[in-house]
Amino acid sequence: MNLLHTADWHLGQTFYQYDRYNEHQYFLDNLLQIIEEQHTDVLLISGDVFDTANPAVASVKQFYHFLHQATERFPQLQIIAIAGNHDSPVRLEMPQPLLEDTQVHLVGYVKRNEQREIDYKRLIIPLYERGEVMAYCLAVPFLRLGDTPKNEDTNPDYTQGVEAFYREITEKALAIAKGKPLIAMGHLHALGAELSDEDTAERPIIGGMEGFKPTSFPNVLQYIALGHIHKAQTLGGKAHIRYSGSPIPLSFSEKDYQHQVVAFSLEEGRVQDIKTVPIPLHTPMLSVPERPLPVKEVLNALASLPKGTTHTPAPYLEVKVLLNEPAPELKNSILKAIAHKHVRLARIDVRYQQQQNTKKETLQKEITLNDLQPYEVLQRVYQNKFQKELPEFYKPLFDEAMEKATD
């Protein structure tokens, strides 16, 4: 049995002002090709199918069209998709009644029975090959605090709750599987997951409280297909516990990630041949320069960009600038510099030079906004950001704005 692990599609994402429909379609077309080349029997999608809980109609159609193509082209293919923290659990499961005669399973949320017990059996899905059950999949969606088992002796603890959930569902699955292998899915933030320094897309969801130890997964699980972290990686040195990563870069911090899906097989009850399959990049991302520089140097770097060809997608451009003070004409200067370049300006990342010799006060008086007048707030914000006094010419402009605001 051959399986394919992917996650974090984020269909419908708008990259600054740019729609990414074509990029996602390029990935989905490649995914169909990979399914064929890898002779895939089971496709695992570990959450964040959509970028928002209320995706655009075009994105929903794109997902359904993929399901239709995949099931029509590969009649024996099983597809299991779980909800991530970006997905609406109800919306993800909405088409499930129409898919009852197919091998597509959409798992959005955890259900409880009349006794308020967790319905684990609903999340334990048999995996078939030629009509025979070969393994079982624990399709665990993104867990919220109310989804986890309750411990009456202690205060609610999210991490302990997630650990208890995987322990209890594994116990239920072992009783059902009767020796057949178990694989698990999840959408969570695991401790030790590696991120780039500037990656802010998928930081810990609940203020760091939900960091889950990879060692907390039951040892009997043959493979753990995770989503949420966009950088593809294994955890704790274990090849069978891994994030597949996002299939396309979802921020400039991800432009150097190796975007991929993970293929593996089950042979004689054991996971074998875990390998990564790269995803071709549709639209490149470009940072000029790689680190913030003064305006003159930035404009020179932009001027040296090649004009390129219109036959390939224009790269998204991030411009990194280092300033000493506000530069109102900065954007216009950048637009002029790239007017005939084969790029699309997406972001201007402005950083301000901090004074190196500024002495830090040992003690700082605590001040609330109620203690300050509005103009004093502006002065303090400006001074904190630019390390200099607010110029006097802002005062009449501020007074005019305040007068209009209070009319």
Side-chain angles (χ1 to χ4, degrees):
M1 172 175 280
N2 298 318
L3 300 94
L4 206 61
H5 166 205
T6 179
D8 297 287
W9 294 2
H10 288 265
L11 299 180
Q13 188 206 34
T14 299
F15 193 66
Y16 297 92
Q17 70 268 35
Y18 299 107
D19 179 79
R20 310 195 75 183
Y21 183 93
N22 290 336
E23 293 173 79
H24 276 117
Q25 191 57 52
Y26 184 72
F27 156 65
L28 294 174
D29 292 342
N30 274 283
L31 182 58
L32 290 171
Q33 187 65 28
I34 292 170
I35 291 171
E36 181 175 6
E37 292 171 353
Q38 298 296 324
H39 307 288
T40 304
D41 300 299
V42 182
L43 174 65
L44 306 174
I45 308 170
S46 296
D48 282 356
V49 175
F50 298 107
D51 190 56
T52 66
N54 188 26
V57 172
S59 304
V60 177
K61 285 184 176 180
Q62 189 174 40
F63 179 53
Y64 294 166
H65 182 62
F66 168 78
L67 295 180
H68 173 73
Q69 283 185 303
T71 53
E72 186 177 62
R73 187 169 166 182
F74 311 107
Q76 301 305 313
L77 178 69
Q78 282 185 265
I79 300 175
I80 304 175
I82 61 172
N85 60 297
H86 281 253
D87 296 310
S88 163
V90 174
R91 183 179 291 275
L92 185 69
E93 285 199 12
M94 197 174 294
Q96 191 62 56
L98 302 176
L99 300 171
E100 288 182 353
D101 294 330
T102 72
Q103 297 190 85
V104 177
H105 304 271
L106 305 178
V107 182
Y109 54 93
V110 175
K111 290 185 177 179
R112 293 178 180 266
N113 58 26
E114 294 180 355
Q115 289 74 40
R116 302 301 300 160
E117 297 170 335
I118 297 173
D119 185 0
Y120 286 116
K121 289 185 178 180
R122 175 178 175 269
L123 307 178
I124 302 171
I125 300 172
L127 303 180
Y128 295 93
E129 186 180 31
R130 299 184 182 89
E132 180 183 352
V133 177
M134 300 295 293
Y136 287 85
C137 177
L138 282 55
V140 181
F142 171 65
L143 297 173
R144 292 165 174 82
L145 186 59
D147 297 327
T148 59
K150 301 295 185 294
N151 187 340
E152 302 298 336
D153 298 330
T154 62
N155 294 326
D157 182 280
Y158 181 83
T159 304
Q160 292 180 5
V162 174
E163 182 177 341
F165 193 102
Y166 275 96
R167 183 175 62 251
E168 292 183 11
I169 193 174
T170 301
E171 291 172 357
K172 297 285 186 183
L174 286 172
I176 296 171
K178 300 186 185 304
K180 295 187 183 297
L182 303 178
I183 63 174
M185 302 173 71
H187 193 92
L188 50 82
H189 185 277
L191 289 175
E194 182 184 349
L195 302 170
S196 75
D197 292 338
E198 297 182 356
D199 188 353
T200 58
E202 295 299 348
R203 291 300 186 189
I205 304 163
I206 312 175
M209 292 173 58
E210 85 288 18
F212 184 80
K213 294 180 181 178
T215 53
S216 297
F217 288 112
N219 291 329
V220 295
L221 299 175
Q222 290 281 310
Y223 185 91
I224 302 166
L226 297 176
H228 182 55
I229 301 300
H230 294 173
K231 185 174 185 177
Q233 60 193 283
T234 60
L235 290 173
K238 306 291 186 181
H240 72 288
I241 308 176
R242 64 172 63 211
Y243 289 103
S244 65
S246 57
I248 68 173
L250 297 165
S251 68
F252 281 103
S253 65
E254 300 176 25
K255 68 181 188 299
D256 296 324
Y257 286 179
Q258 296 298 312
H259 300 279
Q260 60 189 38
V261 294
V262 183
F264 63 98
S265 61
L266 280 171
E267 298 178 21
E268 299 180 356
R270 304 291 299 177
V271 166
Q272 309 283 343
D273 302 324
I274 301 175
K275 60 183 178 181
T276 60
V277 183
I279 301 295
L281 184 63
H282 179 275
T283 304
M285 291 186 179
L286 186 63
S287 295
V288 177
E290 282 295 329
R291 60 182 180 83
L293 292 175
V295 175
K296 185 177 180 180
E297 294 180 55
V298 170
L299 295 179
N300 289 338
L302 294 174
S304 66
L305 289 173
K307 291 185 178 180
T309 171
T310 57
H311 299 296
T312 58
Y316 297 120
L317 175 65
E318 174 189 45
V319 181
K320 296 186 174 183
V321 187
L322 185 65
L323 296 179
N324 291 319
E325 59 185 10
E329 294 299 317
L330 176 62
K331 184 174 183 180
N332 287 337
S333 299
I334 291 173
L335 290 174
K336 287 179 182 178
I338 64 172
H340 303 291
K341 308 298 183 181
H342 188 55
V343 293
R344 287 178 284 180
L345 181 61
R347 177 176 186 243
I348 301 175
D349 181 12
V350 176
R351 307 291 175 91
Y352 291 93
Q353 183 72 51
Q354 301 294 320
Q355 292 182 352
Q356 299 298 319
N357 299 324
T358 301
K359 293 182 179 179
K360 296 182 180 179
E361 296 182 4
T362 306
L363 297 175
Q364 182 178 9
K365 182 181 178 182
E366 184 176 333
I367 301 175
T368 67
L369 289 178
N370 291 331
D371 297 324
L372 300 174
Q373 296 300 314
Y375 190 67
E376 289 180 290
V377 175
L378 177 61
Q379 288 177 309
R380 288 177 178 271
V381 170
Y382 187 94
Q383 186 175 28
N384 183 60
K385 187 168 186 179
F386 303 113
Q387 301 297 316
K388 59 173 63 177
E389 297 294 331
L390 178 70
E392 284 298 323
F393 65 79
Y394 282 110
K395 183 67 165 70
L397 296 174
F398 181 83
D399 291 340
E400 182 181 350
M402 288 294 293
E403 183 177 347
K404 289 182 179 180
T406 56
D407 283 347

